[in-house]
Amino acid sequence: MPSTELLIAFFVTTVIFAYIPGPAMLYAAAQTLARGRLSGLMATFGIHVGGYVHVIAAAAGLSMLFHAVPTLYVAVKIIGAIYLIWLGISLFRARAGGEPVAGATTAKSARRAFLESVAVEVLNPKTALFFLAFLPQFVDASAAFPVWLQLLLLGTIVNLIFSSADVVCVFMAGAIINRLRSSNGARRMMQRAGGTILVGLGLHLAFQKS
């Protein structure tokens, strides 16, 4: 593995990056506001699972395809942006319902949040490029572990730390929901707020310069 000094720098830098509010935090908060804490946690888990696709891609060198084929990067970015906007519009159109439901309906919503979040993360080329640019800075080519294994281990740690920040964001958004639980109007407002955040994230991804 890399030297102790390099690992310390890696951990400090990763924590700083993870806890700076970013798209993943906003996405997890949007799912929580719109569907409740369980769905927010499942969305975070979905982002985490999707993140391993990029970790493995970085370890295998597949992320370099985005550099070699710019058209592929743009295509994936646009698909991901359209998907986020569609999710946001779906929340606007969904009915708020009665109580924040427990049981089968809640479980169904949580499963949907998980599956949607895996797709959102996999379709985010910025994550692929982040891992490709960030992880090699902390790899020691002279270490006993091969480079691909170092990338895999470091990527897994990054994914876990980033997910911890998303979980914190979910619980903060959940605290807001708990205060507004008794109001149908407030729940509808939270649902629309979540939809607005998702549409905004989609537009940001679509028009953000590479």
Side-chain angles (χ1 to χ4, degrees), residues 28-199:
Q31 290 285 357
T32 305
L33 293 174
R35 293 170 169 167
R37 182 182 294 172
L38 178 60
S39 290
L41 290 172
M42 290 302 291
T44 297
F45 183 49
I47 293 171
H48 183 77
V49 170
Y52 285 116
V53 173
H54 298 297
V55 172
I56 294 170
L62 297 179
S63 296
M64 293 180 182
L65 280 173
F66 286 131
H67 285 299
V69 188
T71 304
L72 177 63
Y73 172 86
V74 173
V76 172
K77 183 176 77 167
I78 295 301
I79 292 171
I82 292 172
Y83 186 59
L84 273 174
I85 293 170
W86 178 79
L87 290 179
I89 293 173
S90 296
L91 289 181
F92 272 109
R93 297 175 61 188
R95 299 172 65 179
E99 282 295 312
V101 212
T105 304
T106 301
K108 181 179 179 181
S109 180
R111 284 195 300 271
R112 183 175 179 181
F114 169 75
L115 294 173
E116 289 175 351
S117 302
V118 172
V120 165
E121 184 66 2
V122 169
L123 290 172
N124 185 0
K126 289 288 184 182
T127 304
L129 292 180
F130 170 78
F131 279 115
L132 185 63
F134 182 70
L135 296 182
Q137 310 303 318
F138 303 97
V139 167
D140 184 355
S142 63
F145 287 1
V147 169
W148 70 265
L149 183 55
Q150 292 182 57
L151 289 170
L152 194 62
L153 292 173
L154 292 174
T156 298
I157 294 170
V158 169
N159 208 21
L160 288 168
I161 293 176
F162 270 72
S163 291
S164 73
D166 296 339
V167 169
V168 170
C169 194
V170 166
F171 276 97
M172 291 175 65
I176 296 175
I177 289 176
N178 286 338
R179 291 181 176 273
L180 302 173
R181 179 173 291 172
S182 60
S183 168
N184 281 330
R187 285 203 303 276
R188 183 59 179 163
M189 181 182 69
M190 291 297 98
Q191 194 173 36
R192 288 176 175 172
T196 300
I197 293 172
L198 293 184
V199 170

